[in-house]
Structures are given as structure tokens and as C-alpha cells.
Amino acid sequence: MSHATTDESVRALAGALARARHIAVLTGAGVSAESGIRTFRDTMEGLWKEFDPATLATPRAFARDPGTVSRWYDHRRLGCLAAEPNAAHNALAELERRTLARAGRFTLITQNVDRLHQRAGSRSVVELHGSIIEWRCTITGRRTTPPAKPLPAFPPPSPFHPEGLLRPDVVWFGEMLPESAVEAADEAARACDLFLSIGTSSVVYPAAGFIELAHDHGARVAEINPDATPLSSRAAWTIREKAGVALPGIVAAMPA
Ligand code: APR
């Protein structure tokens, strides 16, 4: 149990970040909240008010009604493309640059599908839940990045196969995570000495399991989230602030 004030935690975490050999970070929807990206747990807006997102994000929903599911994902894709990275994304990209500059290792594992980390300049991003910016053929698996305007038809026909459709390259409930992403996240969680959990409710597995794995392999864990999570007790430092407020302050407090 830590009784440190936020200021003390920020200072201690900043010092640890400046010295860590390998920093691994897990981000969730909270990191994109300040960019205005809505999550599944937000209520749906406008035309989509009647829908429960959990029932749209499944292979079965797509099989039953590919038109509605693809239209909803295209709406969200355009929302992600219109959004801008926020101060949290920028601070994480800066943290990666600083870590690499002193020959440390840095791995950013994200559950977000919006590509905002990459747009902020982060390089070593592991997309655990895929990306909504890319879509793939239901038959060949080939990927494409549609232009930043609505898809021409719902469901969108695949350009790669006459009987194929395009679907978002995201992981739906009940689907496997991409094997290469899981392997990269698993390796980083075992190898890192400092693990940051930022803006995730830590209830969706296997993603949340990487916090436990890192902790069990001896890494110190920091949690940045306005609210407590089921894994807060694993954290050496908890910073109960918004990521876009906390992260720039932590990076600024790092000793040179
Ligand atoms: N800064 C930091 N954390 C925040 C902020 C913020 N500005 N705003 C909200 N949060 C926190 C919330 O307190 C919550 O704990 O972010 C967390 C968001 O939790 P979820 O919506 O459950 O998001 P996430 O953990 O990414 O969900 C995992 O579940 O919805 C599916 O596949 C989807 O990748 C997603 C997965």
C-alpha cells in the first residue's frame, strides 16, 4: 500500500523511467479519451443510439448483418482518422525517443485500434487488438488501407476476391489476438524492469495479464488512471490523473 502523494509518485516514477533498462507500456481506451475517441463502454451517439456495441463487435454479428457492422466500423474509422493525438500520446513518443537515445529498450503495447500512437511518433508499437485503419479480405486475408472518406458500399466488397468482403482488421470478442503481437507483448512483459499501465480498466484479458506477468517477473509497475482497477494493488506507483495531464508532467520531471 502506498501513501505517497501524487507529486512524490511523479518524482519517483520520473527517476525510475530515466534509469530503466527496458520500459514496457500497456495503453487502453483512456489514453485516447482526451482525443475524443469514444469507447465501447461509452453510450452510443446519434444514429447508433439503439445499438449495443458489444453485439456489433463479434464475428457472428458480422456474419448475420455485415452491412450494419461494416457501416458502424467505418463510422468509427473516420472518427479515428479525424482525431488528433493528445498530450499523452506525444509524451509517450518522447519517452521512447529519450529511452532509445540512452540505449534503453522501449515497447508500447496498445489495446487501441486508432493508430494515434504511431501518428504521435511512437515506433515500437504492438497492436494487441489490431487496427481499425486497415481492413482485410474475408477470404484472402490481404489488407488494405481505405482512403479517408466513407467506404463506397456496405458491406464493402473485397478488391482481392470476387466473393470476399472487407472487414476491419480488429480483434472481435471471441477471436484470437494476432500471434505475433501476443508474442511481442509476452516477451516485453517478461523482460522489462518497468511497466506502465495507462488508461486501461485491466479487466479484458489477455491484455491485462501482461501487467501481472511483468509484475510476477520482477518489474515495477506504475498505473496512471483516474480510477482504481482490479490490478492497482500490483502497482508500486499509482497516479490518479488523466493520462494527458500526468504523462507530460512525468516526462518533464525526468532527470536529464
Ligand atoms: N486518462 C487515463 N485513463 C483514463 C482516462 C484518461 N483521460 N479516461 C478514462 N480512463 C480510464 C478509465 O478509468 C478506465 O479504467 O481508462 C480506462 C478505460 O477502460 P476501458 O474502456 O475498459 O478500455 P480498455 O481497458 O482499453 O478496454 C480493453 O475492451 O472495449 C474492449 O477491445 C476493446 O481494447 C478494448 C478492450
Side-chain angles (χ1 to χ4, degrees):
M1 190 57 127
S2 164
H3 296 286
T5 65
T6 299
D7 278 358
E8 284 165 358
S9 295
V10 165
R11 250 195 318 278
L13 177 56
L17 284 167
R19 287 188 304 271
R21 193 173 31 77
H22 179 179
I23 300 168
V25 184
L26 175 69
T27 63
V31 167
S32 290
E34 291 160 83
S35 293
I37 299 205
R38 304 174 75 89
T39 72
F40 284 4
R41 294 176 215 352
D42 285 333
T43 48
M44 302 276 267
E45 83 277 46
L47 286 176
W48 297 99
K49 265 205 307 274
E50 314 290 307
F51 290 86
D52 172 2
T55 66
L56 292 174
T58 69
R60 195 204 287 227
F62 185 71
R64 198 186 305 140
D65 188 354
T68 300
V69 172
S70 60
R71 193 186 294 275
W72 183 58
Y73 272 92
D74 200 44
H75 170 73
R76 292 186 54 215
R77 177 181 74 92
L78 295 172
C80 293
L81 288 172
E84 293 294 335
N86 65 52
H89 297 106
N90 294 336
L92 286 171
E94 172 65 16
L95 182 58
E96 178 176 26
R97 281 191 289 272
R98 289 212 201 177
T99 307
L100 299 185
R102 59 175 180 78
R105 252 190 94 189
F106 192 90
T107 312
L108 176 46
I109 306 160
T110 189
Q111 298 166 85
N112 300 340
V113 298
D114 52 40
R115 287 269 157 99
L116 288 177
H117 284 304
Q118 290 92 331
R119 284 174 53 199
S122 286
R123 304 298 291 273
S124 66
V125 183
V126 177
E127 291 179 323
L128 271 186
H129 293 170
S131 164
I132 201 169
I133 304 304
E134 290 183 42
W135 290 48
R136 69 170 195 259
C137 173
T138 52
I139 294 191
T140 67
R142 276 187 68 184
R143 292 181 173 80
T144 179
T145 305
K149 58 179 188 203
L151 290 169
F154 298 104
S158 167
F160 306 118
H161 193 285
E163 281 147 46
L165 297 175
L166 284 181
R167 59 157 283 180
D169 193 28
V170 300
V171 177
W172 281 329
F173 291 111
E175 289 187 317
M176 303 283 285
L177 275 59
E179 203 175 324
S180 57
V182 171
E183 277 168 15
D186 187 90
E187 190 277 325
R190 289 170 193 273
C192 70
D193 52 339
L194 188 52
F195 191 100
L196 305 185
S197 161
I198 313 175
T200 176
S201 54
S202 308
V203 295
V204 176
Y205 282 78
F210 295 119
I211 305 169
E212 297 168 309
L213 188 63
H215 177 262
D216 293 350
H217 280 75
R220 284 182 298 172
V221 175
E223 181 179 81
I224 301 173
N225 193 317
D227 296 325
T229 76
L231 297 183
S232 295
S233 60
R234 306 287 206 289
W237 303 285
T238 50
I239 297 178
R240 299 262 165 263
E241 275 179 356
K242 291 185 173 186
V245 174
L247 278 167
I250 292 165
V251 172
M254 282 170 66

